[in-house]
Amino acid sequence: MTYKLTNIRILTCHGEEVIEHGEVLFNETGILEAGQHVTAEGVDFEEIDGTGLTVLPGLIDSHVHLGMDTSPDPFASMKLDEPEDIAFKAVQQGYQFLKAGITSVRNLGTRYNVDISYRNAVSSGVIDGPRVFAAGRPIVMTGGHGHVMAIEADGCDEVRKAARTQIKAGADLLKVMATGGVLTEGNDPGATQFSEEELSCICQEANKASKTTAAHTIGTEGIKNAIRAGVTTIEHAYLLDEEAVELMLRKGTYLVPTLIAPKLIIDKPGSVPDYMIDKLKKIIDDHKISFQLAIKAGVPIAAGTDAGTPFNTPGLLIDELALMMEYGMTSYEAISAATLGAAKAVKKEDIIGSIQEGKASDLFVVAGNPLDDIHTLKSPVYVFASGRIVHQQAEYNTEKKTLHA
């Protein structure tokens, strides 16, 4: 089916271009035309009147954990899961992401490489779900953060083999744990784990295979180790300093701050293990300060939620964008971090992230103008994934559609 959106506001996310009363022509092969007017000569299409609506690229959540159950202690739950248990959860979460207008996710750790299998099922059309950039099992030091779902490795020889193992399994990128974390008991979140040399060995293997890398980081020295080693993205980064920010700018390293993840935990004391709250109390204020330091300096940002962690259900990306704005970003900057910025972080900006001819027809339609009110993104009118309607509000089922043949 070919669709033509008419009389619609277009946030192209290509530069800061906004087209009022524009048109977009697209089908399953991609975006055919977009602009003030499109020709659609000789094309049969279904017209959707976009009066009062805004279309923007499908959103990208740059940090999720498919199959992690959002329970108060998801690692404890995951220990008991078989591959099929995790797969069932991933399928359900995929539907939730689509319903929220999130048409792509970057998955940064799932036990048994289930996310790689899930990605393959979505891309082959077996099931509906978002476009997935899958890391599979993270690579961690013995006993390191997230070891329940990871490959444990120590020293350059072992981490190289672990990297090659994940690339052989079909990973799109490699995820590493450069510091301790909040969810792993007995683990100091600020402590360095892999050395700079070990991280460099992993990055070298990724580069040889034209893969990107993502590093879980909380402590300052671990952040710097990961940046110097050449990772593509720094995740979380609670304890940035000016030297780390300068390194990120010099190397073009992206930050994925996941501001909402700790807030969801600390807002529910008594629900999660005490050790998580104790860790977060020491660092959560620094998280905001670090993010503000990064955006003030102009560090490139990709938006991610850490979906799958406690109470962090799929689809909270708009809440993340709202926090980013509360801490200093403009609405356009926040939306860009969940569209073209996120696409650049996975080096797929030629395919997704903006509304341009030839790009994938992943489109998100909402009522009103999200530049004026970011919360309009919480009520999708239409969501298109690869040109197919995967979600729509009931009242828009027929009243705004016209068939042209």
Side-chain angles (χ1 to χ4, degrees):
M1 172 66 74
T2 297
Y3 293 97
K4 182 183 179 184
L5 303 176
T6 60
N7 304 312
I8 196 164
R9 178 183 298 107
I10 306 172
L11 303 189
T12 67
C13 295
H14 178 62
E16 294 196 21
E17 184 180 18
V18 179
I19 301 172
E20 298 288 349
H21 309 294
E23 299 181 341
V24 184
L25 186 72
F26 61 96
N27 59 23
E28 292 182 20
T29 68
I31 297 171
L32 304 176
E33 292 183 73
Q36 199 67 62
H37 300 285
V38 302
T39 57
E41 291 182 4
V43 177
D44 297 338
F45 61 87
E46 187 171 284
E47 180 177 335
I48 299 175
D49 179 8
T51 301
L53 306 180
T54 299
V55 61
L56 63 158
L59 301 182
I60 304 166
D61 191 329
S62 293
H63 191 132
V64 310
H65 294 281
L66 288 162
M68 191 181 286
D69 67 5
T70 78
S71 67
D73 191 352
F75 284 163
S77 301
M78 188 175 281
K79 276 184 183 179
L80 305 175
D81 281 342
E82 297 296 331
E84 56 270 25
D85 299 318
I86 295 175
F88 293 145
K89 292 171 188 174
V91 170
Q92 184 60 38
Q93 289 165 344
Y95 297 145
Q96 291 175 281
F97 280 120
L98 287 180
K99 187 176 180 180
I102 298 163
T103 54
S104 296
V105 298
R106 190 177 65 143
N107 193 78
L108 296 186
T110 294
R111 196 178 188 192
Y112 306 118
N113 289 332
V114 165
D115 58 327
I116 296 175
S117 300
Y118 173 77
R119 175 204 64 198
N120 294 344
V122 171
S123 62
S124 64
V126 172
I127 55 174
D128 283 335
R131 190 183 307 268
V132 180
F133 302 100
R137 293 183 294 169
I139 303 170
V140 309
M141 74 175 199
T142 297
H145 175 55
H147 59 82
V148 66
M149 61 177 173
I151 297 180
E152 294 176 286
D154 304 294
C156 272
D157 287 345
E158 288 190 9
V159 299
R160 282 189 191 279
K161 184 170 184 179
R164 292 170 181 172
T165 297
Q166 283 307 101
I167 291 167
K168 179 182 177 182
D172 298 301
L173 71 153
L174 300 180
K175 168 73 178 296
V176 299
M177 304 298 194
T179 73
V182 171
L183 301 191
T184 305
E185 190 172 8
N187 209 277
D188 180 350
T192 57
Q193 294 201 340
F194 279 138
S195 67
E196 182 181 335
E197 181 184 17
E198 289 169 316
L199 293 168
S200 293
C201 290
I202 295 168
C203 289
Q204 287 166 14
E205 294 303 318
N207 289 338
K208 287 192 291 186
S210 299
K211 307 290 185 181
T212 57
T213 47
H216 162 97
T217 62
I218 291 180
T220 308
E221 194 54 41
I223 292 170
K224 293 176 188 176
N225 283 345
I227 300 166
R228 287 191 291 256
V231 299
T232 312
T233 64
I234 294 291
E235 312 298 311
H236 319 305
Y238 285 66
L239 299 170
L240 284 172
D241 63 10
E242 290 187 1
E243 181 186 5
V245 168
E246 289 171 7
L247 280 169
M248 293 181 80
L249 291 171
R250 193 181 315 148
K251 288 184 167 283
T253 312
Y254 273 73
L255 170 63
V256 184
T258 67
L259 299 168
I260 194 171
K263 190 175 186 303
L264 290 168
I265 295 172
I266 210 154
D267 284 351
K268 295 191 178 180
S271 300
V272 300
D274 289 342
Y275 68 81
M276 294 185 192
I277 299 294
D278 292 341
K279 291 180 187 182
L280 280 175
K281 283 180 177 177
K282 297 175 183 177
I283 57 176
I284 192 165
D285 290 339
D286 295 304
H287 198 192
K288 174 182 175 180
I289 293 168
S290 291
F291 174 70
Q292 291 175 324
L293 182 66
I295 61 172
K296 183 177 180 180
V299 169
I301 307 292
T305 60
D306 213 358
T309 55
F311 319 113
N312 201 337
T313 54
L316 296 183
L317 187 58
I318 313 312
D319 300 88
E320 176 74 12
L321 302 188
L323 269 178
M324 293 163 76
M325 291 172 61
E326 181 182 332
Y327 295 167
M329 273 188 157
T330 67
S331 57
Y332 183 83
E333 288 169 340
I335 290 170
S336 181
T339 52
L340 190 59
K344 288 179 177 178
V346 288
K347 301 189 185 301
K348 295 296 181 183
E349 66 270 26
D350 59 329
I351 299 173
I352 56 176
S354 62
I355 297 178
Q356 294 175 270
E357 183 178 333
K359 286 199 173 183
S361 44
D362 295 347
L363 300 170
F364 183 25
V365 178
V366 298
N369 186 349
L371 293 176
D372 295 334
D373 180 4
I374 198 72
H375 294 97
T376 62
L377 296 175
K378 283 198 161 193
S379 301
V381 174
Y382 293 102
V383 180
F384 297 88
S386 296
R388 295 182 300 108
I389 293 179
V390 292
H391 173 75
Q392 63 186 118
Q393 284 186 14
E395 59 265 37
Y396 284 89
N397 280 355
T398 57
E399 66 181 34
K400 291 204 170 191
K401 292 183 184 179
T402 307
L403 188 63
H404 292 257

